[in-house]
Amino acid sequence: MRELLLVRYGEIFLKGLNRPVFLRALVKRIKRALHDMGATVILNDSRIFVSDYDDQDEAIRRVTKVFGVHSVCPAVEMPKEDFKAVAAQAVAMMADLRGTFKVSSRRSDKRYPMDSPAINGAVGHEILVANKNLTVDVKNPDHVMNIEIRDHAYLYVKVVPAVGGMPVGTNGRATLLLSGGIDSPEAGWMIAKRGVHISAVHFHSYPYTSDRAKEKVLDLARILSESCCGIRVHIVPFTKIQMEIHEKCPDEYTTLIMRRFMMRIAERVARIEGAEALITGESIGQVASQTMTALGTTDMVVSMPVFRPVIGFDKREIIDIAEKIGTMETSSLPYEDCCTVFTPRHPATHPKMDKILEGESKLDMEALIQEAMDGIEIVCC
Ligand code: ATP
Ligand code: MG
């Protein structure tokens, strides 16, 4: 007999032809999440089992963060032949519980001498006899004693919910514009949840933005990485571009022109990374550069889709999610961002295209972009 984790994944995505691809990707992602724990991850009969770990709580914590995992069940694996022993184990696992319960068994080994109703009845009876604090409720029980008869018998009661989504890498790649704020890490998390492998671009305006501000962004990438399976963060030196814009372009247009630079550079990084889309943490009307007109002028400079998964969320809703996914605390640290350092007093909320183009015509855009690209530092998180 031994303890292990039974990993459950979303059934919906598994009906089609891509089922083996999905499962292989998921196993790979779980292995990566546990790589330094010496755990064994195996795929057996469409079930994923994790075993041989020292710290079960830590193993559960990590596996429940992997996209594609819907729940994790700490289980006991034992020989199925001795049914009395299986029933005794079920009794032991229910010993401290009170309230209502049912036994739910599944028999994928159809040669097993007892069928599911017989197992449910026999084990249920033993539990009732042994634990006077439990009664049966098959419709809405407080506890379910699950028994799966496969190559072995697997028993579990506890089900720990996980993040859900699809395994990272099964739905292509996208590049996230990652600031140190609350919105953009969450935006990246949401797209990665759909199985998209993300890389990140961060614009850094040293010395106007400090090394600690950069470290904060890398810390956010590390938090995301627990679910996103590794993020390559491209740190782009942005000071020169910002200084030039500040010097040569009309004050109320500096933010927008800067954002258009960000998009252009992010798109180039995306192409190098094999990504097909960009992701930002913008939300309509949050700041002047996020009016619909302003967003339109930034979309215009790129030819790949731009995903903004928090576009319709209020700040409060964004914060609630950030707390749930574990980025809020780090995002709240008070370091400056390049967007805030050079904020104009009256940014244009209804920008005119000719004014933007006139501003940009004063800059040697290609040279500036190339210089920024050449100065990129890549950090793997
Ligand atoms: P906040 O929670 O402070 O709003 P934010 O990340 O949304 O954080 P904004 O100033 O609203 O910051 O910027 C809008 C979007 O532009 C961000 O969501 C992010 O995608 C991108 N962005 C802003 N600053 C940077 C930066 N320094 N590097 C990379 N992307 C950035
Ligand atoms: Mg924002």
Side-chain angles (χ1 to χ4, degrees):
M1 191 171 85
R2 61 173 184 155
E3 285 187 357
L4 39 64
L5 301 179
L6 200 157
V7 179
R8 301 204 293 195
Y9 42 83
E11 305 286 331
I12 311 156
F13 309 117
L14 302 180
K15 309 273 186 233
L17 288 174
N18 60 352
R19 183 186 166 114
V21 179
F22 177 100
L23 279 177
R24 272 199 304 273
L26 187 55
V27 168
K28 206 165 134 192
R29 297 314 179 199
I30 295 171
K31 278 185 179 163
R32 186 185 189 282
L34 300 173
H35 73 279
D36 57 345
M37 290 184 68
T40 310
V41 183
I42 57 158
L43 179 63
N44 180 6
D45 199 12
S46 295
R47 280 288 200 206
I48 297 172
F49 296 100
V50 178
S51 56
D52 308 325
Y53 40 74
D54 290 329
D55 183 345
Q56 187 177 70
D57 289 344
E58 176 62 10
I60 293 174
R61 193 192 72 77
R62 293 194 196 183
V63 178
T64 49
K65 281 180 183 286
V66 174
F67 289 132
V69 175
H70 282 245
S71 59
V72 175
C73 312
V76 165
E77 178 193 76
M78 61 190 297
K80 61 186 169 182
E81 290 74 20
D82 182 354
F83 181 72
K84 272 203 169 130
V86 172
Q89 178 60 31
V91 167
M93 289 168 77
M94 299 293 276
D96 297 332
L97 302 178
R98 46 180 64 232
T100 58
F101 83 104
K102 75 168 178 180
V103 178
S104 172
S105 63
R106 267 207 267 175
R107 188 181 57 137
S108 64
D109 170 9
K110 298 295 176 205
R111 291 164 310 174
Y112 197 66
M114 294 169 80
D115 64 8
S116 299
I119 298 170
N120 293 346
V123 176
H125 175 75
E126 297 286 326
I127 292 171
L128 276 177
V129 170
N131 185 342
K132 301 293 177 217
N133 294 321
L134 285 171
T135 53
V136 172
D137 180 350
V138 289
K139 285 225 173 71
N140 192 19
D142 301 325
H143 315 285
V144 179
M145 175 74 243
N146 292 280
I147 302 177
E148 296 192 7
I149 305 290
R150 299 167 172 273
D151 53 340
H152 286 78
Y154 296 91
L155 292 82
Y156 60 94
V157 181
K158 199 168 151 198
V159 178
V160 187
V163 280
M166 302 172 82
V168 163
T170 54
N171 270 327
R173 290 171 175 271
T175 296
L176 167 68
L177 283 84
L178 178 62
S179 73
I182 301 166
D183 310 328
S184 52
E186 180 167 325
W189 189 90
M190 284 178 159
I191 298 296
K193 183 165 182 266
R194 299 302 305 154
V196 177
H197 196 178
I198 57 173
S199 50
V201 180
H202 175 67
F203 298 93
H204 186 57
S205 295
Y206 190 80
Y208 299 97
T209 56
S210 64
D211 277 337
R212 284 198 304 181
K214 180 168 112 181
E215 266 314 308
K216 173 186 171 182
V217 170
L218 295 175
D219 283 343
L220 284 168
R222 287 181 196 112
I223 295 169
L224 292 180
S225 185
E226 287 200 300
S227 288
C228 300
C229 296
I231 300 178
R232 283 157 58 83
V233 183
H234 298 68
I235 312 275
V236 182
F238 207 50
T239 319
K240 181 153 178 201
I241 291 176
Q242 285 200 296
M243 301 296 279
E244 287 264 314
I245 295 173
H246 194 63
E247 223 168 86
K248 297 181 178 158
C249 301
D251 196 47
E252 69 268 34
Y253 281 93
T254 52
T255 306
L256 268 190
I257 292 174
M258 176 194 79
R259 298 204 54 77
R260 282 160 60 95
F261 267 98
M262 286 184 169
M263 298 296 266
R264 291 185 183 100
I265 293 170
E267 186 182 42
R268 291 199 191 187
V269 171
R271 298 225 183 271
I272 295 167
E273 287 285 305
E276 297 167 86
L278 299 177
I279 309 163
T280 79
E282 288 158 316
S283 147
I284 292 180
Q286 191 186 74
V287 287
S289 61
Q290 292 172 33
T291 62
M292 279 199 285
T293 328
L295 294 174
T297 65
T298 53
D299 273 3
M300 235 172 252
V301 298
V302 293
S303 57
M304 48 175 66
V306 182
F307 297 140
R308 300 180 170 94
V310 301
I311 195 80
F313 285 179
D314 297 346
K315 198 73 187 188
R316 184 68 245 170
E317 294 170 302
I318 296 176
I319 288 172
D320 287 346
I321 298 173
E323 275 166 353
K324 211 178 78 195
I325 67 177
T327 50
M328 188 59 202
E329 203 181 317
T330 306
S331 287
S332 309
L333 296 172
Y335 306 127
E336 63 295 326
D337 181 63
C338 67
C339 282
T340 43
V341 173
F342 291 88
T343 313
R345 212 164 305 150
H346 300 293
T349 47
H350 297 287
K352 302 274 178 301
M353 209 51 228
D354 52 341
K355 288 273 189 332
I356 295 175
L357 295 175
E358 194 190 315
E360 287 180 347
S361 72
K362 308 225 162 69
L363 307 170
D364 187 349
M365 304 232 291
E366 187 49 39
L368 285 169
I369 291 173
Q370 196 50 54
E371 194 180 332
M373 292 294 297
D374 292 342
I376 286 178
E377 172 201 357
I378 298 178
V379 182
C380 296
C381 292

